[in-house]
Amino acid sequence: MKALLTAINAKYIHTNPAVYSLMKHASQYGDFMELAEYTINNQMDAVVRDLYERKPDVLFFSCYVWNIEYVKDVAGQLKKVLPRTDIWFGGPEVSYDGPVILQDNSYLKGVMIGEGETVFTKLMRFYSYGDICLKDIEGLMYRENERIVMTKPGSLVPMDELKFLYEEPERFAHRIIYYESSRGCPFRCSYCMSSIDKTVRFRSMELVKKELGFFLAHNVLQVKFIDRTFNIRVDRTMEILQFLLEHDNGITNFHFEVAADIITDEEIALMNQMRPGLIQLEIGVQSTNPDTIREIDRTMDLERVKEVVRTLRKPGNIHIHLDLIAGLPKEDIKSFIHSFNEVYELRPQELQLGFLKVLKGAKMHDKAEEYGLIYADKAPYEVLKTNWMDFDDIIRLKAVEEMTEVYYNSGLFSYTFEFLEQYFDSAFDMYDCLAAYYKEHGLFDMKHTRITRYSILLDFIRSLGRLDMEVFEQLLVFDLYLRENLKTRPDFACDGEIYKELTRDSYRKLSKTMKSKIFHVEPFHLDILKLMKDKEICRRDCLIVFDYENRHPVSKMAAVEEYVWQ
């Protein structure tokens, strides 16, 4: 008998902790199990062929909102060529809609509901030895003689009984490690699946420290905590952060989802002591409209959120990611624009403009009719219109989302956009205008290189008229060299011929004195560094050295300094 656990991830760099956890908990049946991992970017025919050639007797798929359509297509094709193979689904995308999943997908044997570690282990016993009946396994919904059978709900696994998944770190080299120190969420956000699990369970600090120490000892690049709200308990949060501070290896980055308004001053003080890049924080603001926040069953002190984010950003040692969701109840386009501008003012390293997904099992799904929620039939069930936003608004925000992703979240155009913003009434207006330019010139449906994005931005700025183009050309060159050690200078850079001898001489001198061997020297017609400090343009020539071996751990920008030649 061969059981094949299949994970189809969003990207290669991701791992799927669910399938690894199932395998660990059913390790006594290891001789009967194999694991297969792919991504949604793999050619579907190749995935089907590979799974078919493994000839499984039973096939398990881990299902999420972002892979379910792909999984269903793969599973449906496999059943045609492996008619004797039982196919099971598990995961959050199928746990709350089992009868519909089975009815719509006749090839399925069944669905594992809820936490799967115990359920899967018993299923492996059923398939391996046949000394247990399906009806006696908790947490199942399955097909038997054309009828659907549902067993008793499964019990929750004590957190300290969950197996550690990463004893073979080499298997996860160059991939993100997902780590779970708690399950459940104390909040009741109506759009979120986590609100269904009303209990919060914690792994013991003894185990957490041991496992975090393992990651640090093996120089893992990034560990993402998948705890829904990492900072629920101050004492626990402080203990983990203190441990990371004391055992920092100078390499590993830890990612946490936090509620900013409950972060204490003591936690902030501890975070401010940390090495740049040791931790990063993801904060779900979602909306700044108080009516919307109440309607989605959230509690949030917005002023405290702003205070915390500004305080944490000041030292520059923590990457901060803020989330907004478009399409929430009580929020029209005017309100959302206000939310965008308020969050943008906090200057996070990343501002994610997401769109409401109407998930099965969440309260938002039950209130869809009341809110006039029209959403896509297929996953990820993204909003199309509401009582407060029409589809024109959604299309407009989609375009702004792309511009924000390309020009803000990339971090490639920081100084140019900071200077450009003064010519618009608000940040949203700036990205909205840029999106309109992309649409007018048919640029959305084309693939662009990084350098092309700079040229498009320069053309857009020219189209605005009456702006000091010399300033913007220099700012774009500065932004470009902060990230890229280019072999050839861009077309919009100043004429380098008149500086050729000077820069060549500078390279010779710097090569002897600088510790770094990877650097670039670029002439500027204006003091760009002073411009960025106080917005005063001081007209004079200067050389700036970009040191690519000394990049900032958070922004990834090259270290810069003005070079004074003799």
Side-chain angles (χ1 to χ4, degrees):
M1 196 282 294
K2 181 193 288 187
L4 186 57
L5 284 85
T6 306
I8 298 178
N9 303 321
K11 297 178 182 179
Y12 170 76
I13 197 172
H14 296 169
T15 52
N16 185 314
V19 293
Y20 287 100
S21 186
L22 296 184
M23 287 196 74
K24 281 283 185 183
H25 282 263
S27 58
Q28 63 266 46
Y29 306 105
D31 292 342
F32 303 108
M33 292 188 296
E34 287 184 11
L35 176 69
E37 281 194 273
Y38 311 95
T39 79
I40 56 176
N41 300 308
N42 289 130
Q43 289 291 329
M44 191 174 295
D45 288 347
V47 174
V48 171
R49 182 169 61 250
D50 187 57
L51 290 170
Y52 169 79
E53 289 176 345
R54 293 174 183 244
K55 296 293 190 294
D57 298 293
V58 57
L59 189 55
F60 297 90
F61 285 95
S62 180
C63 302
Y64 302 87
V65 68
W66 42 263
N67 75 357
I68 185 64
E69 300 302 330
Y70 190 106
V71 166
K72 287 193 291 189
D73 286 344
V74 168
Q77 290 186 51
L78 281 167
K79 189 63 177 180
K80 293 177 181 178
V81 293
L82 293 171
R84 296 180 181 276
T85 297
D86 282 353
I87 299 178
W88 290 82
F89 284 178
E93 180 53 24
V94 296
S95 282
Y96 304 100
D97 205 18
V100 175
I101 293 290
L102 288 170
Q103 181 179 329
D104 292 348
N105 302 280
S106 59
Y107 54 80
L108 274 181
K109 175 63 178 177
V111 172
M112 293 187 290
I113 298 171
E115 296 186 4
E117 285 86 0
T118 302
V119 178
F120 178 74
T121 301
K122 291 182 178 178
L123 266 177
M124 284 304 301
R125 176 180 167 185
F126 167 79
Y127 279 107
S128 300
Y129 301 117
D131 60 347
I132 187 174
C133 297
L134 285 179
K135 65 181 178 63
D136 296 325
I137 301 176
E138 297 177 345
L140 292 183
M141 186 175 292
Y142 62 93
R143 202 186 308 276
E144 186 175 87
N145 298 326
E146 302 306 317
R147 68 187 182 94
I148 294 176
V149 178
M150 184 172 183
T151 65
K152 296 177 181 178
S155 55
L156 300 179
V157 182
M159 288 299 292
D160 278 9
E161 292 182 15
L162 292 173
K163 310 290 186 183
F164 183 63
L165 309 181
Y166 303 106
E167 279 109 343
E168 303 170 77
E170 63 280 356
R171 186 172 188 171
F172 305 97
H174 310 298
R175 301 177 74 184
I176 297 171
I177 296 293
Y178 294 95
Y179 180 72
E180 189 174 32
S181 76
S182 69
R183 282 186 178 177
C185 183
F187 302 111
R188 301 292 177 262
C189 305
S190 63
Y191 55 83
C192 183
M193 300 292 287
S194 296
S195 64
I196 298 168
D197 188 353
K198 305 252 190 296
T199 60
V200 182
R201 294 168 289 146
F202 298 96
R203 200 159 174 81
S204 69
M205 284 304 305
E206 180 184 0
L207 275 178
V208 170
K209 288 181 180 180
K210 177 183 176 183
E211 290 158 359
L212 295 182
F214 180 90
F215 297 138
L216 291 163
H218 288 85
N219 293 332
V220 170
L221 293 180
Q222 186 175 53
V223 178
K224 277 196 171 187
F225 275 62
I226 55 178
D227 303 30
R228 299 313 302 162
T229 306
F230 169 69
N231 61 319
I232 299 169
R233 283 176 36 186
V234 176
D235 58 339
R236 183 180 176 84
T237 304
M238 289 289 287
E239 194 169 349
I240 291 174
L241 293 176
Q242 186 67 45
F243 179 86
L244 297 181
L245 179 63
E246 292 174 359
H247 297 83
D248 180 19
N249 60 12
I251 296 171
T252 306
N253 165 264
F254 294 88
H255 176 105
F256 306 105
E257 290 188 37
V258 298
D261 54 335
I262 63 172
I263 293 178
T264 65
D265 291 341
E266 291 76 19
E267 289 168 325
I268 292 173
L270 190 54
M271 292 179 191
N272 284 346
Q273 299 176 43
M274 292 181 161
R275 162 182 62 86
L278 174 57
I279 67 169
Q280 61 188 53
L281 303 178
E282 182 173 347
I283 299 166
V285 180
Q286 320 313 7
S287 172
T288 65
N289 183 329
D291 294 334
T292 297
I293 293 299
R294 280 192 295 271
E295 190 64 28
I296 61 176
D297 299 329
R298 277 175 69 87
T299 56
M300 181 178 69
D301 182 343
L302 179 60
E303 292 309 310
R304 176 59 180 168
V305 170
K306 291 179 179 181
E307 180 186 358
V308 166
V309 171
R310 289 188 183 113
T311 306
L312 287 172
R313 264 195 55 77
K314 196 170 183 180
N317 64 327
I318 300 174
H319 180 283
I320 296 178
H321 171 133
L322 300 182
D323 291 332
L324 285 172
I325 298 178
L328 292 172
K330 307 281 187 182
E331 183 144 72
D332 58 16
I333 186 67
K334 183 179 178 181
S335 168
F336 186 83
I337 290 171
H338 181 73
S339 290
F340 181 96
N341 287 328
E342 279 201 277
V343 172
Y344 191 90
E345 276 298 311
L346 298 175
R347 307 291 176 180
Q349 278 77 18
E350 188 170 348
L351 196 172
Q352 182 175 327
L353 197 174
F355 291 81
L356 177 65
K357 295 170 179 59
V358 186
L359 304 175
K360 302 166 188 175
K363 183 179 177 182
M364 189 69 68
H365 185 274
D366 298 333
K367 302 193 79 170
E369 185 175 353
E370 177 185 339
Y371 296 147
L373 276 173
I374 306 298
Y375 55 94
D377 293 332
K378 292 188 175 182
Y381 318 111
E382 202 164 84
V383 65
L384 300 173
K385 68 182 296 290
T386 74
N387 286 338
W388 301 270
M389 276 192 189
D390 58 26
F391 193 47
D392 287 327
D393 296 328
I394 297 295
I395 291 172
R396 181 184 177 189
L397 293 178
K398 282 282 184 180
V400 170
E401 175 203 22
E402 185 168 337
M403 294 299 92
T404 305
E405 187 66 27
V406 168
Y407 286 102
Y408 183 81
N409 291 342
S410 67
L412 300 175
F413 309 88
S414 302
Y415 290 113
T416 305
F417 268 79
E418 184 178 346
F419 196 68
L420 181 61
E421 196 178 328
Q422 67 184 304
Y423 295 97
F424 291 87
D425 291 335
S426 71
F428 183 90
D429 288 343
M430 178 172 61
Y431 292 102
D432 195 27
C433 189
L434 180 56
Y437 180 86
Y438 260 69
K439 184 177 181 180
E440 179 185 351
H441 292 82
L443 298 170
F444 274 119
D445 299 324
M446 301 168 62
K447 289 187 176 180
H448 304 291
T449 64
R450 280 188 177 185
I451 298 299
T452 304
R453 296 286 191 187
Y454 285 88
S455 298
I456 292 171
L457 179 57
L458 192 59
D459 289 340
F460 164 70
I461 295 170
R462 285 195 186 103
S463 74
L464 299 174
R466 301 187 303 278
L467 273 61
D468 190 334
M469 291 310 302
E470 184 183 18
V471 172
F472 282 105
E473 287 169 359
Q474 292 282 282
L475 284 170
L476 277 171
V477 171
F478 187 72
D479 272 329
L480 181 58
Y481 278 114
L482 275 173
R483 299 293 288 268
E484 305 279 353
N485 183 21
L486 297 179
K487 302 301 180 186
T488 57
R489 300 173 74 246
D491 295 338
F492 48 84
C494 66
D495 183 3
E497 284 299 314
I498 59 175
Y499 298 97
K500 201 168 186 179
E501 187 174 336
L502 178 60
T503 54
R504 187 186 298 118
D505 183 54
S506 301
Y507 270 115
R508 281 197 295 265
K509 289 181 179 179
L510 287 167
S511 294
K512 295 176 181 177
T513 60
M514 281 186 68
K515 293 182 179 179
S516 294
K517 300 303 177 187
I518 305 175
F519 63 91
H520 176 75
V521 179
E522 179 68 17
F524 287 91
H525 288 329
L526 51 88
D527 188 346
I528 205 79
L529 299 180
K530 185 171 179 59
L531 173 68
M532 284 299 96
K533 277 186 178 179
D534 55 21
K535 306 294 187 295
E536 292 179 10
I537 301 173
C538 179
R539 298 278 177 181
R540 69 181 185 80
D541 295 335
C542 65
L543 292 179
I544 292 179
V545 182
F546 298 85
D547 182 353
Y548 298 106
E549 290 188 49
N550 288 292
R551 293 180 182 269
H552 192 280
V554 176
S555 70
K556 309 304 179 188
M557 292 178 181
V560 296
E561 63 178 283
E562 188 174 338
Y563 177 64
V564 180
W565 60 93
Q566 301 299 322

